[in-house]
Amino acid sequence: MKFPSDSDSTGPEPGRDSAGRTESDKTAQGVATGQPRDADVGGADAETGGADTGTGRAEAGPTHSARRLRIDADSPFAEAAQVFAASDQAQLSALDVSAELFFNETVENLRLYNPHPGQPYAHATIAETVRRYHRERRSSTAAKRKKRKSKLPSFPRFRLDQTFYGWVHELSQAEDIAEFTTVLGATTARAYVQITSAMTLVHGLPKFFARCVAGEFTIEHVHATAHACRDVKFENLPLVDDYLAQRRADITIETFKKSLGMKIAVLEPLEERVEEASKRRRVDITTTPDGTAYLTLAGPAPELQACYLRIAAFARAIRSGNIAAFSDQLEPGTAIDDDRGIDALMFDILTRTIPQLSIQVTSTDTTTGVTSTRDIPLNVPAEQTMTPAAVVNAVQEGVIGARVGSAGVGGTDTDEDASEPEVVLTMPTHEQWLDSQAKMITTVPFLTLTGSAELSGTFSDGSPIPAETARRVARHAKSWTRILTDPATGTPVDAKAATYQIPENVRQTLIAKWQACTIPGCTRRAETTEIDHVVPFDHDHPADGGLTRFGNLHPLCKMHHQAKTDRKYSVRMNRAGFVQYVFRHGLSAEVAAGDHPINAAHAKVFEELQRQAGPTSDPPKSTTRPAGERWHGDKQTSEECPGPAAADGQAGWVKNTPMLGGRSTENENEWIWDSGGPPPF
């Protein structure tokens, strides 16, 4: 695999084939395509630069250093891991072949001149072409001609604002795609995905692709990266590649995807990407032979986030029996008695023509206290506008119909009482309910908030949002939480708490740090999870351990929290920012909080603004003072005021009191000199 070089020499370059490789690269890749490298977990951490505190272990078996995963040799997962690795390598080879085939067809269709017939078309890499473009733009015309003669041709049909999604669709031929679909046995759309992913990875992200071939990332990371970068401009692809070449290979795919999305948001104006996503907004449906179907909505994230939160809030209100928001739709004494889960409720809400839901209820007479249930079907078309009188008539007809139905089948009063009635509720849309139920947690960089930068904000799940949208959301926020972050990685670093109950500022910081349930594979949002004490809190002796502090807390969803409590697996936090899971089949994994490229970029912008501001113009304070001159804060003991008394804006002596001194003074005759100036803050 050919890495983009740091320099772009004007001398002759070795020829590259359609995958951008020299003959020596092919030899090197032949070694790299073997099994994942064996390395002990005690290796250096590439992102933080610090050595792993874990000690080397003697047990044999495959290790996965970059992903911080270890499997014991006698674990049933040991052999499976080798099979999965081989499968990944096969799929990577398929991507490599796909890129080579399509590139060769493109070169032939464009009728590009090849000075060495019979050999692969030699060309400059994307990174080399970008550097060359910027350098030649600043050079003279004569220098451009000279360099053009001594260099390989640029990447075919290169434009700074081109993307591989556009490049593939622009240069593809219908007959070539038909051949791909025939061999793949896939649809035309799937063939385009395969080709776009292959070109993006092999030509746009060669450093990252080499790490994947070396076994540092799984095929899931590969697919996620290809999808995220298909619309990244050629100009920015080398920067994304440099980031991925150094990034820690997290075991959690969600953490990886969110950090990559933030990095792309830093490099490219998110407003443009949201606008492009808006142009492509669509609704797709895919049916399966078993009778189920998948409905996919694609479009700008802010709108879909808001839609999801509204539906989830409606479902949670039903699930928790919170009828306060529906008091105008339910009779007094009615309680929600519905056993559907959140996911089922959200599905039933979304599939109605309007946001309403038929739920099971139990009715209690508020006068007699008698509880009764009746099956009251409301056969009212969703699109029909009903007056209050019509609704009452529909309910009465439903009651009569339910009674007649029970009598017709030999039912009794007991049978009628045991039936499960249904009432249709419509989602509240007034602002007060939405504010209290569909809370949206948004993190906004300080300089973006003040208008000094245009860095993107992020939702609680890590997805970026345009700066202007983030400012608009922040203007309507009911509460603010300051979050301190590591300037290098952007990861939240600390928050304070001293009791078992988690303070809101600590909870918000944990949400911003982890973004989701920490167990590998779980995608439950952090704001809907529980906060777990890694070392259990000792209620009888709080000082003995399990303190509520940042280094002992992480989010776990209710299911995985209960499994941890039941000792189905163990959780440790041997060092800050890393949670280690030890499972019962000899498998252990260390999960790290993701980096936050937006926050890291914010720290750099902040530092640059400070550098531009330069030193302050205030003269340095003298460390010496003339004899007899008093400074603010000087003290003197005296029964009487030792001199002029302080007044508004005038220097003088003032009696030292607990309010001024911050504590009780042992000497009640102590006086303090007040310079009369404004407070130093």
Side-chain angles (χ1 to χ4, degrees), residues 634-671:
D634 284 352
K635 297 180 180 180
Q636 185 171 330
T637 302
S638 174
E639 294 183 1
E640 302 291 340
C641 182
D648 291 341
Q650 296 181 357
W653 293 100
V654 63
K655 189 70 174 291
N656 189 2
T657 64
M659 181 176 293
L660 293 175
R663 57 181 177 83
S664 299
T665 58
E666 297 179 359
N667 192 343
E668 297 180 355
N669 296 324
E670 188 173 66
W671 299 79

Side-chain angles (χ1 to χ4, degrees), residues 295-349:
L295 186 68
T296 305
L297 285 79
E303 284 78 359
L304 292 182
Q305 286 270 0
C307 175
Y308 176 86
L309 290 173
R310 285 194 298 269
I311 296 173
F314 189 13
R316 284 197 303 271
I318 300 297
R319 190 73 180 88
S320 62
N322 180 14
I323 64 172
F326 314 107
S327 57
D328 58 337
Q329 303 181 46
L330 293 173
E331 293 293 331
T334 300
I336 296 176
D337 186 22
D338 202 296
D339 59 356
R340 280 172 291 180
I342 293 291
D343 292 336
L345 289 168
M346 292 179 65
F347 177 89
D348 293 341
I349 294 169

